[in-house]
Amino acid sequence: MVTALLLSCTRHVLDFALPPRCSACGVIVADVHSFCADCWTSVEFLGAGGCKTCGLPLHATDADTCAVCLAKPPRIARTRSALAYSDISRSLAIRLKYGRKVAIAKTMARYMAPLVPTDGDRLLVPVPLHRSRLWWRGFNQSALIAAELSKRLGVVADALVLTRTRRTPPLKGMSALQRRKAVAGAFRVRDPSLLRGKTIVLVDDVLTTGSTAEACARALRKAGAARIELVSWARVVKPSLLMR
Ligand SMILES: [Zn+2]
Ligand SMILES: [Zn+2]
C-alpha cells in the first residue's frame, strides 16, 4: 500500500519534471499537450469556421450555411471537429482507444474546448459503447475526452445519460442506408428528466459519416432534449473540401 502510494507520487512528480513532448511525434516541445512545429503544419485544423450547422468547409461563397443543411436541416444543429482525419489525428485516437492515455484526452480536449459554446444549459454526453465492449476495453474513450472537456469548460459531463442497448456491427464499407439501419434504435436515454430543455453536446473521438451520432441525436431528441450539438476530435472530410 505504502509502496503503491510512493510509486504513484513519484510518477506524479515525474510527470511534472519531464519536459513536455509533442502529442504526435514525441519530440520535446515548449508547451504541454501540444504539437511540435513540424506536426503543427501537417495537421488540418477544422476549427469553428465552415457551415454554421454541419461545420464542413465552405469555399468561394459568402453563405454561412451549406446547401445540404439548407435543404434539410440536420438533427444535430451544430457539428464541430478539431482536426481533419489524417495520420496524426488517427494516431492520437488509436493511442487513446487502446492505451487509456489520459494525457491524450487532455490534448484532444485542449483543441476541442474552443469549439463548444458555454452559454445556456449545456450537458456533455459521450457517444456510448455497448457494455460488452466497455467491459472488454475497460473504458470509453469518448467519456475520457468528455471528462477532460468538462474540466476545461466547467460544463457538466454525464456518461450515463445515454446507453447503447445493442452491439452494432462495424460500419466501414456500408452504404449510408445500411449504416442508418445498423444503428437505428441502438441508443436509449436512461432518465429523460435529465435532458429536458437542455442543449446536449455529443462528444465523439472520430466522426465518419455521422450515422452513429445521428442515431444518438434521435434518441436524445425523443427524450426531450431541446437541441443537439456535436464536437469531435477528428472528422473524415473529403480531400476536395480541404483544398485551398
Ligand atoms: Zn511532432
Ligand atoms: Zn452544412
Side-chain angles (χ1 to χ4, degrees):
M1 173 83 180
V2 174
T3 325
L5 199 68
L6 271 176
L7 267 176
S8 109
C9 284
T10 319
R11 212 169 296 137
H12 215 63
V13 170
L14 275 177
D15 276 349
F16 282 103
L18 290 172
R21 289 181 179 273
C22 168
S23 305
C25 72
V27 305
I28 291 171
V29 289
D31 198 3
V32 72
H33 306 310
S34 185
F35 294 111
C36 71
D38 278 348
C39 293
W40 183 275
T41 50
S42 66
V43 296
E44 188 83 45
F45 290 98
L46 293 173
C51 168
K52 157 170 133 242
T53 307
C54 71
L56 285 174
L58 291 167
H59 295 300
T61 165
D62 58 1
D64 62 2
T65 307
C66 77
V68 180
C69 293
L70 276 177
K72 188 171 182 274
R75 198 169 272 119
I76 299 175
R78 185 177 189 276
T79 298
R80 291 293 180 274
S81 304
L83 267 63
Y85 194 64
S86 67
D87 287 347
I88 288 182
S89 56
R90 188 185 59 218
S91 92
L92 265 78
I94 289 173
R95 274 152 60 209
L96 176 68
K97 203 159 163 179
Y98 297 104
R100 191 185 200 145
K101 293 262 169 61
V102 173
I104 291 180
K106 283 189 200 294
T107 303
M108 293 176 169
R110 177 182 187 178
Y111 294 99
M112 290 161 75
L115 306 174
V116 182
T118 49
D119 57 321
D121 201 0
R122 278 184 167 71
L123 181 66
L124 300 167
V125 174
V127 169
L129 294 178
H130 185 253
R131 65 175 184 280
S132 60
R133 192 161 297 172
L134 192 64
W135 184 84
W136 183 75
R137 196 181 290 158
F139 66 98
N140 173 0
Q141 70 279 10
S142 299
L144 287 186
I145 305 172
E148 292 303 327
L149 272 177
S150 171
K151 279 189 222 161
R152 272 192 176 264
L153 298 168
V155 173
V156 175
D158 191 333
L160 299 175
V161 160
L162 195 61
T163 56
R164 200 183 282 238
T165 53
R166 59 180 169 82
R167 287 198 69 155
T168 48
L171 303 180
K172 216 173 175 176
M174 287 189 186
S175 71
L177 183 67
Q178 287 169 326
R179 283 167 187 260
R180 264 206 305 280
K181 280 188 178 161
V183 292
F187 298 94
R188 194 173 58 85
V189 170
R190 254 186 237 263
D191 181 359
S193 72
L194 297 171
L195 303 180
R196 230 150 271 150
K198 284 191 180 149
T199 294
I200 304 302
V201 184
L202 279 166
V203 178
D204 208 353
D205 54 349
V206 178
L207 179 63
T208 46
T209 59
S211 25
T212 302
E214 181 69 22
C216 291
R218 184 188 288 263
L220 291 163
R221 277 306 288 266
K222 239 173 88 184
R227 176 182 160 95
I228 316 293
E229 299 177 349
L230 181 141
V231 65
S232 79
W233 159 246
R235 177 175 197 172
V236 176
V237 181
K238 268 192 279 178
S240 60
L241 276 177
L242 292 173
M243 284 206 304
R244 286 181 285 203

